[in-house]
Amino acid sequence: HWRTPEALLLTGRAQRLAGTGGTAAATLKTLEERAITDGFGTVWLARAKYELALTLLADGKASEARTQFKSSGTSAADALKNAKTDKAELQRIKIESRVGEGETYLLEKEFKKAESFFRQLASSPDASLKAAGQAGEGEAIFQSAAASKDPNALRRAQLALAKASVLDASNSEASAKSNYYLGKCLLLLGPQKEGDRFKQRAQEYFTICITSYPSTRWASLAKAEVSK
């Protein structure tokens, strides 16, 4: 039935969000196999692979997720070659798969690896990959500096995140992530480095995240910060 792939994808996603990673992975592997055997097409194959990569990442399986993100990125790039429709979605999967690859290093607390991966991404000629790379680099520097609260590292994070916001012409996930972490940087730097209005300015970044990018995961993280 033509609604089958959609049903499998939505079921897998719901299972992932409910925290049942094993069940979600099984559902999404079924979709991945059937995309080939039942001829659902390359777009569904890319969607299945990407959703499975997100599931593995959420389940803490960093190296499996990394392999899967590479695979979903390749599938999205292949599907884009002949796509008549769904081009914007496939482009997003292609970019977010590269970002996911870098995030697997963050999960392993391999901050230097993550930073260098994202820096390489930021040197891409593709503007949207550039923005995603800068945002990821800022995130990696922030996470590495969060424990030590090293002000110099936090300044480096701010710089990378600000660049990402400027470069992100499509106003996407990279901007949402940047605004979230720019707020977090201000909170860690505190009044000594950022003046008395540091909390208010951080809240402004979180509010941008919530109002301008409501469908991203960064919006829910920003809401949690605002309600603290």
Side-chain angles (χ1 to χ4, degrees):
H1 190 274
W2 64 275
R3 295 303 292 267
T4 304
E6 188 181 14
L8 284 167
L9 185 74
L10 294 176
T11 303
R13 185 174 297 157
Q15 289 163 337
R16 165 172 70 85
L17 296 171
T20 52
T23 320
T27 304
L28 294 161
K29 277 174 186 159
T30 302
L31 174 56
E32 197 178 333
E33 284 157 16
R34 290 188 61 183
I36 299 163
T37 57
D38 298 8
F40 294 155
T42 52
V43 178
W44 283 107
L45 184 61
R47 285 171 178 152
K49 283 175 183 283
Y50 177 62
E51 198 65 43
L52 179 55
L54 290 176
T55 302
L56 293 166
L57 187 67
D59 234 12
K61 296 175 178 169
S63 83
E64 283 178 59
R66 191 149 55 239
T67 305
Q68 190 64 28
F69 276 124
K70 284 178 184 165
S71 180
S72 66
T74 305
S75 286
D78 290 346
L80 267 168
K81 287 173 193 164
N82 306 307
K84 302 272 186 293
T85 57
D86 304 306
K87 282 185 184 174
E89 185 191 0
L90 287 167
Q91 182 64 17
R92 184 186 63 79
I93 290 175
K94 189 176 111 175
I95 290 164
E96 289 303 318
S97 293
R98 293 305 308 279
V99 172
E101 224 182 300
E103 286 183 344
T104 62
Y105 293 119
L106 292 177
L107 185 64
E108 293 169 323
K109 302 212 178 325
E110 293 275 8
F111 300 120
K112 285 279 168 273
K113 270 188 191 170
E115 193 182 330
S116 93
F117 175 89
F118 283 121
R119 190 175 302 123
Q120 206 176 349
L121 208 57
S123 65
S124 159
D126 179 333
S128 36
L129 276 177
K130 240 186 201 11
Q134 288 283 3
E137 192 182 336
E139 177 181 30
I141 298 167
F142 173 85
Q143 288 201 15
S144 173
S148 63
K149 295 190 179 168
D150 171 6
N152 294 332
L154 290 167
R155 290 285 184 232
R156 279 178 57 231
Q158 282 178 312
L159 190 61
L161 296 162
K163 279 185 191 167
S165 293
V166 173
L167 286 167
D168 188 19
S170 58
N171 228 7
S172 65
E173 189 85 10
S175 291
K177 181 191 281 188
S178 298
N179 279 290
Y180 172 74
Y181 278 112
L182 282 164
K184 293 285 283 179
C185 283
L186 285 171
L187 292 179
L188 274 192
L189 285 161
Q192 293 79 14
K193 298 285 177 191
E194 288 289 349
D196 294 342
R197 287 187 68 251
F198 80 102
K199 271 191 180 158
Q200 199 178 332
R201 286 167 55 219
Q203 297 280 9
E204 284 161 13
Y205 280 120
F206 296 139
T207 306
I208 291 171
C209 218
I210 295 160
T211 53
S212 303
Y213 313 101
S215 63
T216 66
R217 60 188 160 129
W218 306 105
S220 4
L221 290 168
K223 276 181 190 159
E225 288 295 334
V226 168
S227 62
K228 276 182 185 173

